[in-house]
Amino acid sequence: MSEPAAATSWHARLAELGLRLPPVAAPVASYVPAVRTGNLVMTSGQLPFVDGGLRRTGKVGGSVEAEDAAHDAKVCALNALAAVDDLVGLDSVARVVRVVGYVASAEGFTGQPRVINGASELIGKVFGKDGEHARSAVGVAELPLGAPVEVELTVELR
């Protein structure tokens, strides 16, 4: 994973990468986007919402190409970072602890880790060594609203 510039601000690092956090995605059911317990923040699963709508629907390895789903995982990770920022401020993050990704998988598709790399690689670019995380990449039959991918984060605060 690449090291972020000597900036202590994660917002500054996002700007260096040409990225902006989107508005926090509105929950689609009865939950909140993120919660804090002690020095941890856990996000709810984030879908690849852009401007209030899903980028695409379908199953990876079927109607959705793995490369497109990896890009969707990156969008999910940005949405998760936005939820963290809204709750505690992104610059209060010390490190990313865990990434969990779910991939709506067509029968026989086994490339879930490659898809969730979209999220992991984004985290690495933003947080450098502080973005090294534990991870699960899970294939599932269906995701909410027909989304091809969903990502959740756990971060540790300073």
Side-chain angles (χ1 to χ4, degrees):
M1 294 186 187
S2 63
E3 288 299 317
T8 57
S9 168
W10 302 127
H11 281 286
R13 181 62 182 150
L14 283 167
E16 289 172 11
L17 294 169
L19 299 170
R20 292 180 40 172
L21 292 178
V24 177
V28 298
S30 183
Y31 60 89
V32 295
V35 296
R36 178 180 181 169
T37 182
N39 68 337
L40 297 176
V41 171
M42 287 157 263
T43 70
S44 295
Q46 299 294 313
L47 300 177
F49 283 124
V50 174
D51 297 327
L54 283 177
R55 297 174 50 82
R56 72 188 99 247
T57 60
K59 293 191 179 188
V60 183
S63 63
V64 178
E65 295 293 326
E67 295 75 23
D68 292 333
H71 186 74
D72 290 345
K74 174 184 171 181
V75 171
C76 292
L78 280 171
N79 287 340
L81 292 175
V84 171
D85 187 51
D86 188 60
L87 183 67
V88 297
L90 194 62
D91 290 335
S92 67
V93 172
R95 68 174 319 238
V96 177
V97 176
R98 187 165 190 239
V99 173
V100 179
Y102 303 95
V103 180
S105 301
E107 186 174 339
F109 180 74
T110 60
Q112 294 83 6
R114 190 170 27 124
V115 170
I116 302 307
N117 278 349
S120 291
E121 290 168 2
L122 172 78
I123 297 298
K125 286 177 184 174
V126 174
F127 294 94
K129 188 126 177 94
D130 294 326
E132 292 178 357
H133 55 270
R135 187 180 92 174
S136 296
V138 182
V140 297
E142 300 288 341
L143 286 170
L145 307 177
V149 65
E150 180 175 356
V151 171
E152 58 187 55
L153 299 180
T154 301
V155 300
E156 181 181 10
L157 303 176
R158 298 182 198 276

